[in-house]
Amino acid sequence: MHFHQFKAKTRQRSARVLLTAFVATALISGSATPAGAGGGKGIDRDFDVAVVSGRPDTISGGDALIRIGVPRTVPPHQVRVRVDGRDVTKRFRPAGDQRTLLGLVDTLALGRNRLEVRANGLGKGRPTATLTLVNHPAAGPVFSGPHIPLFCTAADAPWHLGPVDRNCHVAEPQVTYRYRNTAGSFVDLPAGPLPKDVASTTTTAGRTVPYVVRIERGTINRAVYEIALLHQPGTPTPDPWTATRGWNNRLVYTFGGACGIGYTQATSTGGVIDHTLLGRGYAVASATFNVYAHNCNDVTSAETAMMVKEHFSETYGVPDFTMGWGASAGTMQQLLISNAYPGILDGVIGHIGYPDERSTTISGHECRFISQAATAAGLSTAQRQAVSGFGSPDTCTGYQFFDSVDWPTACPNHVPAQLRYHPVTNPDGIRCAMADFISNVYGVDRNGAGRPIIPDTVGVQYGLQPLQAGVLSPEQFVRLNEGIGGLDVEGNRTPHRTSANVDAIRVAYATGRINQFDGGLRWTPIIETRGYTDPTGDFHDRFRSWTMRERLLKANGHADNHASVTSPPGAATTAAQEQALADMDAWLTARTRLAADRPHLDPVALTRLSRPRGVVDSCVAPDGRRIVEKLTLNSSARCNQLFPYHRNPRVVAGGPTTSAVLKCQLKPLKRTHYAVTFSDSQWQRLRAVFPGGVCDWSKPGVGQVPLRQTWIRF
């Protein structure tokens, strides 16, 4: 990012810190309003007008793809379309049949635009319809709130997209071609006739085409995006009116993992050159803000995915449906987006995933606390593992990769040292903690810092279950909990336990940052696969699959939209992912047809009734056998004997297996609650650790409220 751009963004942020309260307003859905004489809505008498490239209140970039259903009483040639009085009728032409008109309306003004459709002539009873189109800048924001500082990369390697403006945007997208050769590699396509070693591929639509990939790259919402699909140069480029043999009319949107506070436009997307997807004819899209390693912010990830999908629909045509695809935090993003901003993705295909970032990162903090306290408590390696709950003593090491996102001074290398926050030498510098990165969500304190959800250790009895089981002695339990401490807002370890900001916690639940699966995930189909690696120390532990299931059950009373598949790592995992792709395609195809046949069904029923019979919970045994078995915590289940669940530090401390409580309510500390006997001295020390009491896990967490609503604007 150019230095003058950074200064401009910093001034914007400095003005924003004067806001002291979180404000969320519902986006108002635009809808066509039929007018004219007579009652009885429907295609027989009224125009049916809809934005098919997205929502009418979240349009971006100045254009929108509009579909008009023409009533039988009106000859199509008499239809007239205007936007704020400007005639745009020539933008429309038939799509599919003469009574369906499709048009790309452009040059929309920022803000509200009034689209009016009417039949030519002034005769009484002539139908009309209006639709309010709310347009936002191509650089955003739409609903994520004011921009934060950003270092541009679009002009440099690996993108080389040309000069950028103050929003890191380039003037035009670039198109290149690659092909897959008969040796199985993707290589650049030379000019002229197709090379002799071009492979062919057969799409899910049954069409065999040359394996040539069109790749478009540009900038949207300050991110670099990529779109790839099968298309041979010299043949008609697909658009909303023109099909192409290589595209199966489905879109897969990819998401990348990890978690980082980037302030960068970044250098990679979720990946679009994917043989599993392209070889079957799927179009593939992604953007740099959809990789959590660069942008650990599900709100801007959702916004970017929405805007890229909008651009895709306006450029190539509206996909029949859009499936998410991504592992680890790539799954996390899909789940968070589908719950808080339903409709961007029609289905979630996840692998080794987690339900959300905040309730996952807390395990990293707790692992660090335990690792340091366990040494002073004299715990053995086996005892440390028991306190952590994980399947390997090394898993806690992996989870500690997460917790640096709450350290405001832990900035990535591309943020120059002189611009970074320091509490003494540069208090106005860039703060690289999660709370600051997404302060549009959590709000800011009186000093302009984001309100942090630091790990709340108050009342948490680490190692409680090992104590009760005799794995820890009373003295070890007391010494362990004496050494836990906490984390302050500067990311520093404290000897005393720390309490999270309750207002920030409440916002996290109410806006969907803590994913309780109580929004769009009530109906969005989810297929998640997991290669089992618990014994290896990998932090993609199987228990996270259960937390997803339990949150679904707790919120909705059922998990009709969720299928979980566990397998050994390696080839079996790859096969499970490919099967998940085919299964989700079948599920969404059936759901789309059912919605057309029975338009009055609610979305939950649509998902349940369209679920293919073979899409079920299962595991793949090491010998390749498929075991169909409902996901359960019962240790005697066959899949659980093959792939046993483990736990995490907070569950071992007595917490719920949903792992959804960030701050617990307290109850009095009582000796009768323990199966062991403490000496008087140990008891007094324990009371000093827990002066306000210990966690009452039977109650909801402090600030744990339902999702306020979907499609929240910040």
Side-chain angles (χ1 to χ4, degrees):
M1 182 176 193
H2 303 306
F3 183 66
H4 71 87
Q5 293 173 310
F6 168 72
K7 290 197 295 184
K9 298 301 178 189
T10 302
R11 287 195 296 271
Q12 184 180 36
R13 183 182 184 278
S14 297
R16 193 172 77 253
V17 301
L18 297 177
L19 300 175
T20 58
F22 163 81
V23 178
T25 59
L27 288 171
I28 302 172
S29 298
S31 59
T33 306
K41 295 182 180 181
I43 197 65
D44 288 333
R45 305 194 60 175
D46 297 312
F47 288 109
D48 179 16
V49 185
V51 178
V52 292
S53 52
R55 291 165 56 105
D57 54 356
T58 61
I59 292 166
S60 65
D63 47 22
L65 190 64
I66 310 292
R67 184 190 64 220
I68 301 173
V70 182
R72 293 183 178 89
T73 56
V74 177
H77 70 273
Q78 290 188 356
V79 175
R80 294 293 180 268
V81 188
R82 290 179 173 81
V83 174
D84 291 337
R86 172 170 56 96
D87 194 319
V88 295
T89 305
K90 291 184 179 180
R91 304 294 295 170
F92 288 81
R93 48 189 164 123
D97 62 77
Q98 292 298 312
R99 296 211 165 272
T100 301
L101 303 179
L102 195 65
L104 183 62
V105 176
D106 56 11
T107 62
L108 296 173
L110 287 177
R112 298 171 70 87
N113 298 257
R114 186 175 187 269
L115 181 140
E116 183 180 28
V117 183
R118 65 173 58 246
N120 197 21
L122 300 175
K124 185 177 181 181
R126 303 292 275 181
T128 66
T130 61
L131 183 63
T132 298
L133 311 176
V134 185
N135 178 44
H136 305 79
V142 178
F143 54 73
S144 66
H147 284 157
I148 61 173
L150 192 71
F151 291 83
C152 306
T153 61
D156 306 316
W159 307 120
H160 303 296
L161 297 179
V164 297
D165 62 20
R166 68 188 304 271
N167 286 311
C168 298
H169 271 222
V170 298
E172 296 291 340
Q174 293 185 6
V175 174
T176 59
Y177 282 86
R178 306 198 83 192
Y179 73 97
R180 187 174 175 89
N181 61 25
T182 51
S185 298
F186 286 101
V187 294
D188 292 339
L189 182 71
L194 292 182
K196 293 182 179 180
D197 65 342
V198 172
S200 61
T201 189
T202 302
T203 72
T204 60
R207 294 186 289 266
T208 300
V209 297
Y211 205 146
V212 179
V213 184
R214 183 186 198 270
I215 307 163
E216 176 188 330
R217 295 186 176 98
T219 46
I220 287 176
N221 202 31
R222 304 200 303 165
V224 174
Y225 72 87
E226 297 183 292
I227 293 171
L229 77 168
L230 297 177
H231 174 256
Q232 184 176 341
T235 64
T237 303
D239 61 32
W241 302 268
T242 307
T244 182
R245 285 178 51 80
W247 181 33
N248 66 7
N249 222 52
R250 288 119 163 87
L251 175 64
V252 176
Y253 204 101
T254 66
F255 297 85
C259 183
I261 310 301
Y263 294 103
T264 176
Q265 196 173 26
T267 56
S268 64
T269 70
V272 297
I273 303 301
D274 187 315
H275 174 58
T276 298
L277 305 175
L278 291 170
R280 290 165 167 80
Y282 294 100
V284 189
S286 190
T288 53
F289 284 3
N290 302 120
V291 178
Y292 253 24
H294 316 314
N295 177 59
C296 201
N297 180 345
D298 65 282
V299 179
T300 51
S301 178
E303 183 177 66
T304 302
M306 177 195 72
M307 295 170 74
V308 172
K309 180 181 174 181
E310 176 191 24
H311 169 72
F312 178 92
S313 298
E314 294 165 354
T315 305
Y316 301 96
V318 180
D320 290 342
F321 46 77
T322 301
M323 301 183 287
W325 179 266
S328 187
T331 303
M332 181 190 295
Q333 291 178 76
Q334 294 182 63
L335 293 171
L336 286 163
I337 290 168
S338 297
N339 198 57
Y341 296 95
I344 296 174
L345 301 175
D346 298 298
V348 170
I349 307 174
H351 181 61
I352 58 172
Y354 309 90
D356 59 57
E357 181 272 328
R358 282 289 84 184
S359 67
T360 302
T361 298
I362 196 169
S363 289
H365 287 295
E366 292 181 325
C367 278
R368 193 175 300 277
F369 298 158
I370 290 168
S371 296
Q372 296 173 0
T375 300
L379 270 58
S380 67
T381 299
Q383 288 174 320
R384 293 178 187 221
Q385 183 180 345
V387 172
S388 77
F390 295 121
S392 164
D394 297 325
T395 306
C396 248
T397 302
Y399 265 106
Q400 289 176 59
F401 295 149
F402 284 87
D403 62 349
S404 63
V405 298
D406 288 319
W407 304 347
T409 56
C411 291
N413 292 334
H414 61 262
V415 178
Q418 69 271 21
L419 299 180
R420 300 180 190 181
Y421 165 80
H422 186 279
V424 177
T425 60
N426 193 14
D428 294 325
I430 296 178
R431 295 174 58 96
C432 293
M434 179 67 69
D436 303 289
F437 194 58
I438 54 175
S439 59
N440 288 341
V441 173
Y442 293 124
V444 295
D445 63 21
R446 66 184 63 183
N447 298 315
R451 296 190 303 188
I453 303 184
I454 56 176
D456 191 297
T457 54
V458 174
V460 182
Q461 301 182 80
Y462 294 98
L464 178 61
Q465 291 179 357
L467 169 73
Q468 303 283 41
V471 176
L472 296 184
S473 70
E475 177 62 21
Q476 288 176 317
F477 176 75
V478 173
R479 293 179 67 182
L480 172 69
N481 280 281
E482 285 177 326
I484 289 295
L487 191 79
D488 67 18
V489 296
E490 299 296 338
N492 301 313
R493 288 277 281 116
T494 65
H496 59 274
R497 299 210 173 196
T498 48
S499 178
N501 184 301
V502 175
D503 289 336
I505 286 178
R506 186 175 291 109
V507 166
Y509 286 111
T511 65
R513 311 286 73 74
I514 304 298
N515 193 352
Q516 300 186 93
F517 290 65
D518 52 351
L521 287 178
R522 291 185 296 114
W523 65 80
T524 303
I526 308 164
I527 302 177
E528 53 103 8
T529 63
R530 191 171 298 272
Y532 186 73
T533 56
D534 282 29
T536 70
D538 182 9
F539 52 83
H540 297 96
D541 44 316
R542 185 179 180 232
F543 184 64
R544 301 294 174 171
S545 291
W546 175 256
T547 62
M548 298 177 198
R549 172 58 57 85
E550 189 170 358
R551 292 187 193 188
L552 274 166
L553 293 172
K554 190 175 181 65
N556 309 312
H558 66 83
D560 295 341
N561 58 322
H562 180 219
S564 181
V565 180
T566 304
S567 63
T573 293
T574 301
Q577 290 176 275
E578 292 179 353
Q579 186 61 50
L581 177 65
D583 287 344
M584 183 59 75
D585 190 308
W587 196 345
L588 293 177
T589 298
R591 193 180 190 278
T592 301
R593 290 171 179 166
L594 184 61
D597 293 340
R598 302 173 64 180
H600 300 298
L601 276 179
D602 69 81
V604 175
L606 277 173
T607 297
R608 183 182 69 253
L609 294 172
S610 61
R611 179 172 177 162
R613 288 188 176 184
V615 181
V616 293
D617 296 335
S618 63
C619 66
V620 180
D623 62 6
R625 289 178 299 115
R626 184 190 186 209
I627 300 172
V628 175
E629 183 177 70
K630 188 175 182 180
L631 200 66
T632 176
L633 278 182
N634 188 336
S635 60
S636 65
R638 288 179 295 167
C639 289
N640 292 348
Q641 290 177 350
L642 290 170
F643 309 109
Y645 287 115
H646 298 92
R647 301 295 189 268
N648 60 49
R650 188 149 290 218
V651 174
V652 172
T657 50
T658 59
S659 297
V661 173
L662 297 191
K663 180 178 179 62
C664 66
Q665 298 191 53
L666 301 178
K667 64 182 180 181
L669 183 68
K670 293 183 179 180
R671 281 182 164 178
T672 56
H673 291 164
Y674 299 90
V676 299
T677 301
F678 294 97
S679 70
D680 289 344
S681 173
Q682 291 168 342
W683 187 251
Q684 291 306 315
R685 288 159 58 199
L686 204 59
R687 289 181 63 184
V689 174
F690 302 112
V694 294
C695 287
D696 185 349
W697 299 111
S698 67
K699 297 179 179 178
V702 176
Q704 187 174 7
V705 297
L707 180 70
R708 180 182 300 179
Q709 62 193 44
T710 59
W711 287 91
I712 292 174
R713 170 178 288 169
F714 299 98

